[in-house]
Amino acid sequence: MKLLSHSNGIHKVEKDKISKRRMLKKCSISFIGLLIFGFVIQMITNVVDNTRLKSRFKYVRINGKKMEYKIKAGGEYTVVFDGAIGTNMYEWDQVCKPIEDEKKASTFIYNRSGYGFNDGEDVRTPEDQAKDLKLLLRKSGALEPYILVGEEYGSLVITNFISLYPDSVAGVVLVNPICEEQAKTSEFKKDIKFKYYRSEFESIGANFSLTSLLSKIGLTMENSIFKEHITESELYEFNSFKNKNKYKNAVSNELGNLYKSSSNSQVTGLLGNKPLYLITDNEEDPIKKIGESASTTVYKEEIDGSPFSLLDSNAIVNGVNSVLKDVKKSAKKQ
């Protein structure tokens, strides 16, 4: 209670109510100020990184968006590599080298939208990404037919590519492939749900330097195996992009494709009698149905971890050589 100077009565002043309202207003202003500050800092960081870093790869524009690639000529077939979520074309360094040294085939590696120096896009399904890859291969001059190699998420891009452009494909190597049937199960969705929503949060936070801050204290999603097995210069470049919105948005988009089961390409007999080489921990992997049993080889992996291409590159090289051998043998009979 307080005696007011302009009154001869006693009135209650709602001091607490007024202070809470002011506090809420101050907090809101402070929060908005932090967002603006974080946004400005992120923009400055992006500009600095764009002037400080230069891509070492060629690029073309697909649908107006920059996509970088590397092609090394070496034979009548082109081996095309597509990797796991959150990695980039450096995933394939150790696999490409022996193939290029022996000159048994040409090699082609690239970054999907949002990775590396590429421009980002909001939504791309595996089918969209397969169409992007086809245009990229054509514009880069990569000669057909292709031996397609896909690891994990990359396997979805590959099977969509086969579905859309079967005549461009000579053979396939799939490494720990994602089976579309299994991706539709409640167990799979439950397992991927937290990762997807977390990636959405990190994508939004990347606009305001929040994701960079969380990364510094070890609270963002990271692929430690990938980072440990690439060179120092590659790691420096990767770290410069990993907390940017275009990269985080690309990761979130692809995890979202898994969570929403946005791919429907793996029909029975998809590959026909063309050689299929599976590297998997499941000898009865359901994805075998896309090829014929007589043309399918299954290699049971012994190493756990992702990306597998950096942990046992020889297994993938052997798979590529096996498919190349079968493809050339088949071509001689025709």
Side-chain angles (χ1 to χ4, degrees):
M1 295 295 208
K2 185 177 181 181
L3 196 62
L4 300 180
S5 59
H6 61 276
S7 173
N8 60 358
I10 297 175
H11 298 274
K12 183 177 180 180
V13 179
E14 298 181 0
K15 183 178 180 180
D16 292 339
K17 189 174 181 179
I18 295 173
S19 62
K20 286 180 180 178
R21 189 178 299 153
R22 287 177 178 173
M23 185 177 295
L24 181 60
K25 184 178 180 181
K26 287 181 179 180
C27 288
S28 298
I29 293 173
S30 297
F31 179 71
I32 294 172
L34 284 173
L35 288 180
I36 294 173
F37 178 75
F39 179 79
V40 172
I41 292 298
Q42 189 65 57
M43 291 300 99
I44 293 173
T45 302
N46 290 345
V47 171
V48 171
D49 285 342
N50 288 338
T51 56
R52 178 170 53 90
L53 295 170
K54 298 295 181 183
S55 175
R56 66 187 78 179
F57 304 111
K58 296 179 180 179
Y59 74 90
V60 296
R61 293 197 177 274
I62 305 298
N63 301 319
K65 303 290 186 177
K66 179 179 178 179
M67 289 190 73
E68 57 183 354
Y69 67 93
K70 176 186 175 184
I71 186 170
K72 185 72 177 289
E76 57 183 315
Y77 297 94
T78 303
V79 185
V80 180
F81 297 90
D82 212 316
I85 292 177
T87 66
N88 60 28
M89 66 169 72
Y90 297 136
E91 173 186 344
W92 301 106
D93 286 353
Q94 297 177 25
V95 178
C96 287
K97 191 175 187 309
I99 297 173
E100 293 167 355
D101 289 345
E102 294 178 11
K103 296 184 179 180
K104 290 184 177 180
S106 300
T107 59
F108 183 95
I109 56 178
Y110 80 110
N111 282 327
R112 295 191 295 268
S113 295
Y115 291 98
F117 288 85
N118 285 355
D119 295 327
E121 294 190 66
D122 289 336
V123 179
R124 303 301 287 166
T125 66
E127 182 177 319
D128 293 330
Q129 291 169 317
K131 291 176 181 178
D132 291 344
L133 176 56
K134 175 64 173 177
L135 286 172
L136 179 60
L137 288 165
R138 181 172 62 81
K139 286 191 173 185
S140 68
L143 298 177
E144 297 186 12
Y146 306 125
I147 307 294
L148 303 177
V149 182
E151 178 167 4
E152 297 176 6
Y153 182 89
S155 65
L156 294 179
V157 181
I158 294 305
T159 53
N160 275 275
F161 190 101
I162 300 167
S163 178
L164 292 168
Y165 315 106
D167 294 338
S168 298
V169 182
V172 175
V173 178
L174 297 179
V175 185
N176 289 326
I178 293 172
C179 175
E180 291 171 347
E181 289 181 5
Q182 293 178 337
K184 293 176 182 177
T185 64
S186 57
E187 182 181 357
F188 183 92
K189 289 183 181 296
K190 183 179 179 181
D191 182 60
I192 204 76
K193 183 178 181 179
F194 176 72
K195 292 180 182 177
Y196 169 52
Y197 284 118
R198 185 177 175 182
S199 69
E200 284 278 271
F201 175 79
E202 290 184 5
S203 177
I204 295 170
N207 291 302
F208 309 102
S209 299
L210 176 59
T211 302
S212 296
L213 178 61
L214 293 174
S215 178
K216 289 179 180 178
I217 56 179
L219 294 179
T220 53
M221 291 189 293
E222 302 278 348
N223 188 319
S224 58
I225 292 175
F226 175 72
K227 294 173 68 175
E228 289 169 3
H229 287 79
I230 58 178
T231 67
E232 187 175 334
S233 61
E234 291 170 347
L235 179 61
Y236 178 78
E237 179 190 301
F238 177 76
N239 284 337
S240 298
F241 288 116
K242 69 174 184 176
N243 294 317
K244 287 183 169 48
N245 176 259
K246 66 172 186 173
Y247 170 81
K248 289 297 183 180
N249 191 54
V251 171
S252 180
N253 174 72
E254 293 175 353
L255 285 171
N257 286 335
L258 297 182
Y259 181 63
K260 299 169 188 175
S261 301
S262 301
S263 183
N264 294 284
S265 61
Q266 297 168 3
V267 299
T268 300
L270 173 67
L271 194 57
N273 63 355
K274 296 172 183 176
L276 169 64
Y277 194 98
L278 285 180
I279 299 176
T280 175
D281 60 0
N282 179 12
E283 293 185 31
E284 300 304 319
D285 197 314
I287 206 171
K288 288 199 301 182
K289 71 177 185 178
I290 70 170
E292 295 184 358
S293 57
S295 305
T296 300
T297 302
V298 178
Y299 174 85
K300 193 172 187 306
E301 65 179 48
E302 303 293 337
I303 301 174
D304 290 329
S306 172
F308 182 81
S309 52
L310 288 170
L311 297 173
D312 191 356
S313 59
N314 289 333
I316 301 178
V317 173
N318 291 338
V320 172
N321 287 336
S322 175
V323 169
L324 276 170
K325 182 180 178 181
D326 291 343
V327 166
K328 290 178 180 179
K329 186 186 297 184
S330 177
K332 286 182 180 179
K333 291 181 181 179
Q334 296 176 355

